[in-house]
């Protein structure tokens, strides 16, 4: 088992390398710092009692998982941004419409929108909330924890008192149901 000084020495020896690895992956200094800090905390909390020889591999795996989690959260956030940006699509546009071309910088958010855009977004949000409310309780619970509260699958499973596979199934069914319901209403992602 690694002692507290051995763990502290290990963490101080890998912090710069871990930060470089994270910054190269995510290209955001603040996010990289958060990722490294989360990985170090998880190693200390969950695996601090492991032998010193196992710490490098464990830490590398935790760091990689944290980086992957960051990309997953970005993907979910971008899906919602794409959904909202797609509202401006005109029906006479060709099929090769790319919603990514319509994305605007974060500082151009609702401040510069006209009343019609704000109305469309609020109507879309109400439609989405209404469809989420129609989901079965377990699907709604899993969906909201995973995609709105950004909890991991393991955290969601622990809170819901079920297996990780059940969480994945509930989330998958919820997203399929929501996509179908929104498609019927003429809203596509």
């Amino acid at each position: 088992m690694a002692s507290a000084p051995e763990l502290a020495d290990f963490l101080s020896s890998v912090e710069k390398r871990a930060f470089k690895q994270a910054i190269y992956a995510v290209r955001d200094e603040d996010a990289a710092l958060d990722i490294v800090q989360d990985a170090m905390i998880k190693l200390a909390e969950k695996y601090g009692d492991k032998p010193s020889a196992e710490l490098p591999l464990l830490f590398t795996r935790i760091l990689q998982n944290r980086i992957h989690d960051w990309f997953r959260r970005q993907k979910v956030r971008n899906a919602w941004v794409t959904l909202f940006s797609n509202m401006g699509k005109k029906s006479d546009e060709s099929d090769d419409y790319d919603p990514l071309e319509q994305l605007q910088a974060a500082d151009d958010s609702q401040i510069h929108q006209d009343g019609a855009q704000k109305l469309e977004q609020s109507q879309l949000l109400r439609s989405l909330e209404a469809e989420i409310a129609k989901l079965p309780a377990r699907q709604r619970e899993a969906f909201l924890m995973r995609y709105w509260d950004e909890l991991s699958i393991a955290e969601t499973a622990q809170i819901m008192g079920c297996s990780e596979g059940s969480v994945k199934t509930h989330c998958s069914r919820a997203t399929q149901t929501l996509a179908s319901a929104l498609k019927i209403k003429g809203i596509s992602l």
Side-chain angles (χ1 to χ4, degrees), residues 166-180:
S166 293
V167 170
K168 291 176 186 178
T169 300
H170 290 313
C171 287
S172 175
R173 289 178 181 165
T175 54
Q176 288 174 357
T177 302
L178 289 173
S180 298

Side-chain angles (χ1 to χ4, degrees), residues 113-126:
Q113 294 177 346
D114 64 8
Q117 287 175 318
K118 287 181 182 179
L119 177 64
E120 285 180 32
Q121 284 186 350
S122 67
Q123 289 173 340
L124 176 63
L125 189 55
R126 271 183 286 195

